[in-house]
Amino acid sequence: MEIPNYLRRGYITPDELFSIIPRPSEERLRKRPVAIPECPQQIPCTPCKEICPVNAVMMDHPNDIPKVDYEKCIGCSLCVQVCPGLAFFMIHYVGDKARITMPYELLPLPEKGEEVILLNRVGEEVGKGKVLAIVPREKSKGDTPIITVEVPIELAWEVRAIKVVRK
Ligand code: SF4
Ligand code: SF4
């Protein structure tokens, strides 16, 4: 079996991601936060499916690539909190911004309202954003703190990490 390019190089582009899972509509992205699984490896792993309170994460077999029923998803963020692969995100379009909820395991944890540097999937700086919300480790249902960052809407599918800069 041929190994896909995104597994060889270690990150997946938005076009590659949406060739293996459905892309949520703009209407859905504006309604409320929606969970996006960026987990293209067929590994035996199911915490995201087990924690989902509305059975929105679809996997017939533990080795399947997780997909989300975007209409069922209530945007609770539990899948982001428990995913050991740091592979779940949530996106919400609000006006000309996007709110991205992502795992963040580094220290220091940013503070609410703090301006942070936005990084793409390769770790390159692509702009600045503002931290809107934090779920620290002690409140996370998994071992992973999560943060929600407001970014320019055109970066919604590029930004997947942040850098905290303290003077
Ligand atoms: S955000 Fe909540 S409702 Fe949506 S897929 Fe994740 S666990 Fe399920
Ligand atoms: S919990 Fe994370 S790593 Fe495991 S299957 Fe779900 S998305 Fe993939």
Side-chain angles (χ1 to χ4, degrees), residues 19-79:
S19 71
I20 58 174
I21 66 168
R23 183 177 193 124
S25 66
E26 171 145 1
E27 184 188 7
R28 173 62 189 86
L29 285 158
R30 290 194 175 279
K31 207 187 287 180
R32 61 182 181 274
V34 63
I36 310 290
E38 302 199 0
C39 180
Q41 284 181 288
Q42 293 172 292
I43 50 171
C45 183
T46 58
C48 55
K49 177 181 166 70
E50 286 159 22
I51 195 95
C52 182
V54 293
N55 293 319
V57 180
M58 301 177 288
M59 299 165 80
D60 288 338
H61 185 277
N63 277 352
D64 286 348
I65 291 170
K67 295 179 182 169
V68 169
D69 182 330
Y70 300 133
E71 293 310 315
K72 274 191 187 174
C73 173
I74 56 172
C76 69
S77 85
L78 291 175
C79 51

Side-chain angles (χ1 to χ4, degrees), residues 12 17 33-39 68 70 73 77 79-81 83 85-92 99-104 121 147 156-157 159-161:
I12 193 164
L17 178 67
V34 63
I36 310 290
E38 302 199 0
C39 180
V68 169
Y70 300 133
C73 173
S77 85
C79 51
V80 188
Q81 296 176 35
C83 171
L86 313 184
F88 247 104
F89 299 84
M90 286 197 321
I91 310 284
H92 186 198
R99 297 176 179 180
I100 306 177
T101 300
M102 64 179 81
Y104 188 77
R121 290 177 167 82
I147 59 173
W157 302 100
V159 173
R160 286 298 176 270

Side-chain angles (χ1 to χ4, degrees), residues 71-142:
E71 293 310 315
K72 274 191 187 174
C73 173
I74 56 172
C76 69
S77 85
L78 291 175
C79 51
V80 188
Q81 296 176 35
V82 302
C83 171
L86 313 184
F88 247 104
F89 299 84
M90 286 197 321
I91 310 284
H92 186 198
Y93 287 180
V94 180
D96 62 353
K97 306 281 188 192
R99 297 176 179 180
I100 306 177
T101 300
M102 64 179 81
Y104 188 77
E105 290 195 322
L106 302 179
L107 292 173
L109 209 55
E111 292 174 6
K112 193 172 167 185
E114 185 169 348
E115 187 180 75
V116 291
I117 293 174
L118 306 172
L119 306 176
N120 65 14
R121 290 177 167 82
V122 194
E124 296 165 335
E125 297 184 8
V126 292
K128 288 185 179 166
K130 188 167 84 171
V131 176
L132 299 182
I134 300 160
V135 177
R137 188 182 303 273
E138 58 274 17
K139 293 202 174 154
S140 173
K141 294 290 182 198

